[in-house]
Amino acid sequence: MATLSNPPKSPYGLARDQYVHYVPTPMRVVRRMLEMAEIQPGETVYDLGSGDGRIVISAVRNYGARGVAIEIDRERIELARRRAGPLLERIAFRRQNVFKVDLRPADVVMIYLTSLLNYHLLRRLERMKRGARVISHNFELPGMAAYKVARLHCRDAFQHNIYAYRIPLTRE
């Protein structure tokens, strides 16, 4: 396991398809992630690697949040915009590298990235405002202690782990 004293190899030297691929989050998992985030109306929810936008669209529709979807793939952004329909005015879709996003305005950050990528996001996550939440699907934040963990089984026959963290992050 990667820790802060034993960092993994940086993804920056790798081709994008070697460390990033799109896997849609099952809707049952989306619902549980949003519940664990304890979103309040008007809060801002970021989704890093937002794919088809299902997480921010659900956060806006069901919790009255504002959404910021960060995705590098143009086609997925266009699909997400179409799926957002009338909610589009409350969701910003940005074509941006997740390592260059300013997360300080976020109340909640949703991620479904590998532990390696999570490790490289730690410094940005740690700069978020006090009380902000980070919800990670399947991959922990290396070296950090989640305050809440859920395990779900879905129709895809896989176990899905969801980890909830609060800023400031707590080291294990």
Side-chain angles (χ1 to χ4, degrees):
M1 172 188 257
T3 64
L4 294 179
S5 60
N6 180 25
K9 183 179 175 186
S10 170
Y12 303 111
L14 301 174
R16 192 179 118 211
D17 63 355
Q18 290 181 296
Y19 64 92
V20 176
H21 60 279
Y22 175 61
V23 178
T25 301
M27 285 308 296
R28 182 168 181 229
V29 175
V30 169
R31 286 188 296 274
R32 187 67 180 117
M33 290 174 74
L34 293 171
E35 288 170 10
M36 289 174 70
E38 302 171 358
I39 299 166
Q40 300 301 308
E43 286 191 316
T44 302
V45 177
Y46 278 51
D47 185 11
L48 305 184
S50 60
D52 64 6
R54 65 183 60 197
I55 292 176
V56 290
I57 291 168
S58 295
V60 169
R61 178 181 293 129
N62 300 324
Y63 291 87
R66 297 195 65 76
V68 178
I70 306 298
E71 176 58 54
I72 201 161
D73 187 301
R74 279 189 181 100
E75 291 176 16
R76 288 206 183 88
I77 292 171
E78 288 309 312
L79 169 64
R81 285 179 196 271
R82 288 191 302 273
R83 292 186 76 222
L87 302 174
L88 196 54
E89 66 187 37
R90 294 180 32 217
I91 303 172
F93 290 94
R94 298 183 189 160
R95 183 172 184 263
Q96 193 173 2
N97 182 320
V98 298
F99 297 109
K100 296 183 179 181
V101 177
D102 179 5
L103 299 174
R104 290 175 296 183
D107 296 294
V108 176
V109 170
M110 303 292 209
I111 51 179
Y112 186 9
L113 302 169
T114 66
S115 293
L116 174 64
L117 297 179
N118 288 351
Y119 174 82
H120 288 286
L121 280 174
L122 279 176
R123 298 289 181 248
R124 287 194 179 281
L125 296 171
E126 288 176 326
R127 286 187 223 133
M128 292 171 61
K129 59 188 158 197
R130 184 181 258 321
R133 286 87 64 208
V134 178
I135 310 298
S136 182
H137 176 199
N138 272 349
F139 298 96
E140 297 178 72
L141 296 180
M144 301 299 156
Y147 75 90
K148 199 183 304 184
V149 177
R151 290 173 179 32
L152 300 174
H153 290 278
C154 296
R155 290 182 186 170
D156 62 8
F158 293 107
Q159 175 173 299
H160 297 267
N161 300 314
I162 305 167
Y163 304 94
Y165 303 87
R166 214 176 275 285
I167 304 301
L169 294 171
T170 305
R171 301 208 187 300
E172 291 182 326

